[in-house]
Amino acid sequence: MNHGYTYQSTLAASGTCHWRIEDIIGGDKRLDFSKSFMPESLAQVETLSFLNDEEKKILNQIRGNTYLCIFGLVEEFILPFVLDQAKSQLHGDDYRARALLQFASEEAKHIQLFKQFRNEFESGFGTECPVIGPAEAIANAILAHDELGVALTTLHIEWMVQSHYLGSVKDDQDLDPQFKSLLKHHWIEEVQHAKLDTLMVEAMAGGKTEEEILRSVDEYLAIGGFIDGGLTQQVEFDMASLMAATGRFFTDAQQDEFRRVQRKANRWTYLGSGMTHPKLLESLESLSPKARARVEEVSVAFC
Ligand SMILES: [Fe+2]
Ligand SMILES: [Fe+2]
């Protein structure tokens, strides 16, 4: 695959955009609860016919909280995965070892950032908003899969962050500037992660037969199915959070509408937008055209 990524260049680039948690959250850097947190293309609250504008904004903020918490969750599996990859070849390419350790260190920082965000969100929002978990159980379930399947899932997540920020967040002037700043700082570091994952996927796939690669793609799709099950539960949590925050109780028909709209929104946010990312599809194509075709076929259900 002709992408030009190297461990040396990603390491050099990551050194130029480093930030500290205390520079972007806490102190006078507060969330503004009078504003939306998420772009509508991901939150998809506007079509819910039984919510007024204030209630739509509250749901948007609940989705924003869930979004960062879910990133916190998935990064709990990415961290040990990347550390294992670094450890397995510590004495080979020095740039590789340093780039992967830098990657792991940034994910550990992101996990801490998202925890700090959640505390701030809960104290400002005023209602507890449950999120699926626990993180360790989810990480263990994902890490039980084949190594290349896990690497493809990580690649999916990294490219997904790129498309969310560049495609929906960056030019949206209506979002809370503080929430947007968190998304921006996260995105900045993820740029290099996406390149490192591309290199990892290539290295893992090297020497595998097409049959073995397609088995790993099935593992990646199975992890997607596992995440989809969690998202179904998360929609129930988000609906309960919205009812608690607004003091309303939705009728059966309203609950059905909420599930239909928000399930589709969650599937697109975390699964469809990653599975259809051109860079993920390029990586799959370079492993095997059949691998790309398989993912494109399944992705229809998540778009
Ligand atoms: Fe991250
Ligand atoms: Fe990352």
Side-chain angles (χ1 to χ4, degrees):
M1 196 175 156
N2 190 23
H3 46 61
Y5 307 152
T6 65
Y7 290 111
Q8 184 174 358
S9 62
T10 54
L11 181 67
S14 72
T16 62
C17 56
H18 197 65
W19 47 263
R20 301 181 313 162
I21 289 181
E22 52 272 37
D23 294 333
I24 64 164
I25 193 168
D28 61 351
K29 292 173 279 300
R30 315 292 297 182
L31 295 165
D32 179 353
F33 285 92
S34 72
K35 291 187 172 286
S36 292
F37 291 175
M38 291 292 281
E40 172 61 15
S41 62
L42 302 180
Q44 295 181 29
V45 301
E46 290 300 329
T47 62
L48 287 163
S49 62
F50 59 96
L51 299 182
N52 64 32
D53 287 348
E54 178 63 17
E55 290 163 342
K56 285 175 182 172
K57 187 192 72 190
I58 292 170
L59 175 58
N60 179 296
Q61 292 171 352
I62 290 168
R63 285 293 309 283
N65 175 58
T66 302
Y67 185 75
L68 288 194
C69 289
I70 285 187
F71 272 104
L73 279 180
V74 295
E75 295 196 346
E76 298 255 5
F77 90 75
I78 295 176
L79 174 57
F81 182 68
V82 174
L83 276 177
D84 278 351
Q85 293 304 315
K87 209 168 133 194
S88 68
Q89 290 180 41
L90 266 187
H91 305 295
D93 176 347
D94 290 337
Y95 287 117
R96 178 186 185 277
R98 289 177 58 207
L100 293 187
L101 289 171
Q102 174 74 14
F103 180 170
S105 159
E106 287 168 357
E107 296 297 30
K109 182 175 67 174
H110 299 170
I111 291 168
Q112 192 180 359
L113 171 73
F114 298 147
K115 283 181 184 161
Q116 204 167 319
F117 160 80
R118 190 175 185 177
N119 289 338
E120 284 208 15
F121 178 86
E122 287 194 345
S123 63
F125 189 71
T127 308
E128 199 191 336
C129 298
V131 177
I132 52 170
E136 201 182 341
I138 292 177
N140 288 340
I142 292 175
L143 291 170
H145 286 270
D146 153 88
E147 187 181 71
L148 180 54
V150 177
L152 285 169
T153 306
T154 312
L155 185 64
H156 162 129
I157 292 167
E158 311 288 9
W159 285 126
M160 194 173 84
V161 171
Q162 301 305 302
S163 77
H164 290 179
Y165 183 74
L166 294 174
S168 304
V169 175
K170 185 169 171 274
D171 296 324
D172 190 331
Q173 305 309 329
D174 296 331
L175 302 181
D176 167 36
Q178 171 58 8
F179 193 83
K180 203 169 159 175
S181 157
L182 299 181
L183 294 177
K184 180 182 176 183
H185 284 88
H186 184 233
W187 161 76
I188 286 172
E189 293 188 338
E190 298 291 311
V191 176
Q192 305 312 320
H193 299 181
K195 296 175 187 171
L196 292 169
D197 280 321
T198 303
L199 293 168
M200 270 196 281
V201 162
E202 277 177 359
M204 280 175 200
K208 281 195 195 294
T209 64
E210 185 170 62
E211 197 184 1
E212 287 168 330
I213 284 169
L214 293 177
R215 264 206 301 275
S216 295
V217 170
D218 282 341
E219 297 267 328
Y220 156 70
L221 293 171
I223 294 169
F226 171 72
I227 293 171
D228 191 39
L231 296 176
T232 304
Q233 175 60 54
Q234 189 59 50
V235 169
E236 297 299 317
F237 283 157
D238 288 351
M239 184 161 61
S241 298
L242 180 61
M243 288 196 274
T246 58
R248 286 185 62 185
F249 188 80
F250 305 144
T251 64
D252 286 351
Q254 289 168 339
Q255 292 192 24
D256 286 346
E257 184 184 340
F258 186 97
R259 287 187 186 100
R260 184 172 46 76
V261 170
Q262 283 297 298
R263 187 147 160 64
K264 191 165 184 288
N266 273 270
R267 283 185 141 185
W268 167 249
T269 301
Y270 302 103
L271 297 167
S273 65
M275 292 170 92
T276 57
H277 194 290
K279 294 286 191 181
L280 178 82
L281 294 174
E282 266 177 38
S283 279
L284 286 165
E285 171 100 35
S286 75
L287 305 190
S288 150
K290 283 185 188 166
R292 176 184 178 133
R294 175 96 180 99
V295 172
E296 281 186 311
E297 180 195 346
V298 175
S299 69
V300 175
F302 301 97
C303 295

